[in-house]
Amino acid sequence: MSRTIEDQTVEELGGEGSVLVRQRRDHAQMDRLMDRHQALEDGAERERVLRELVQLVFSHAFAEETVLWPAVRRAAADGEELTSRVEEEHQEINDLVTDVERLDPGSAEREEKVLRVFALIRQDIRDEEDLVLPRLQEALDAGRLRRLGAAWETVRGSAPTRPHPVVPRRPPGNAVLGVPLSLYDRLRDGLEPGVSGPWGRRILAGLTGLLVSGAVAVLVRKRS
Ligand SMILES: [Fe+2]
Ligand SMILES: [Fe+2]
């Protein structure tokens, strides 16, 4: 019988480096950032908190899709069903955050979408801690949970930090396209706010377009 990872001890979850402990730690940080955003008045600090949350959520989810969900599909009979469900949540978050980035801060429409994003993130956390991650705990011993944790953390450290409509949710497509997009996101993260005017963005977008086309060419060649 699988058990939520929400209230288990670090030892039960496989120790500090275990992927289950690392996941829960990130989820708690997401919760804190959402609470902080809700408590703040409109302004620069509120926008900074939202940006930090988006960066955390997207790098976290990309590494899940690249490293963790394939492991769940290998480990559990219902892995396909469970991971499809969280992939759908990730896609919805991706689409909503894309809209949020286009809308004016302070507008009622943007505020409403931000609240929907927060509700989806909370739902995703519950599905992962109560349904998906317990399957990994059942299938893998502590040593393997820690090795998976190290792999997940490595990918998370160089993953895209923003929504992208072209990124497929599954390997190998997401992994190949993730490299140029991560570079683009991290350059933008470093430049904003202010320095990345329309020209800066155009140059970056051109550079990324070249890299993405290269990645797509590699993918197409692999498939054929
Ligand atoms: Fe997660
Ligand atoms: Fe997730």
Side-chain angles (χ1 to χ4, degrees), residues 23 27 30 60 64 69 124 128:
Q23 275 278 324
H27 294 165
M30 287 172 201
H60 177 105
E64 287 174 345
W69 302 163
D124 193 53
E128 290 175 9

Side-chain angles (χ1 to χ4, degrees), residues 128-185:
E128 290 175 9
E129 293 195 2
D130 301 343
L131 303 171
V132 184
L133 296 170
R135 287 294 193 284
L136 277 182
Q137 187 178 29
E138 285 165 350
L140 308 180
D141 62 25
R144 286 173 75 195
L145 287 172
R146 285 196 290 271
R147 281 199 292 281
L148 198 55
W152 177 73
E153 196 79 50
T154 304
V155 172
R156 176 183 169 285
S158 60
T161 57
R162 290 163 184 258
H164 293 286
V166 297
V167 179
R169 303 254 74 89
R170 290 197 176 186
N174 65 350
V176 175
L177 286 173
V179 175
L181 291 172
S182 165
L183 173 67
Y184 177 60
D185 288 348

Side-chain angles (χ1 to χ4, degrees), residues 26-34 50 53-58 60-61 64 86 89-90 92-94 96-97 113-129:
D26 263 14
H27 294 165
Q29 174 66 0
M30 287 172 201
D31 259 330
R32 275 192 294 274
L33 288 167
M34 288 187 285
L50 185 61
L53 174 69
V54 166
Q55 286 168 6
L56 175 61
V57 165
F58 279 85
H60 177 105
E64 287 174 345
V86 287
E89 286 161 2
H90 288 181
E92 272 186 75
I93 293 170
N94 186 91
L96 275 168
V97 173
K113 289 195 190 255
V114 167
L115 288 180
R116 279 167 61 198
V117 170
F118 286 6
L120 274 164
I121 293 173
R122 291 197 170 101
Q123 179 64 52
D124 193 53
I125 291 175
R126 288 283 35 93
D127 284 343
E128 290 175 9
E129 293 195 2

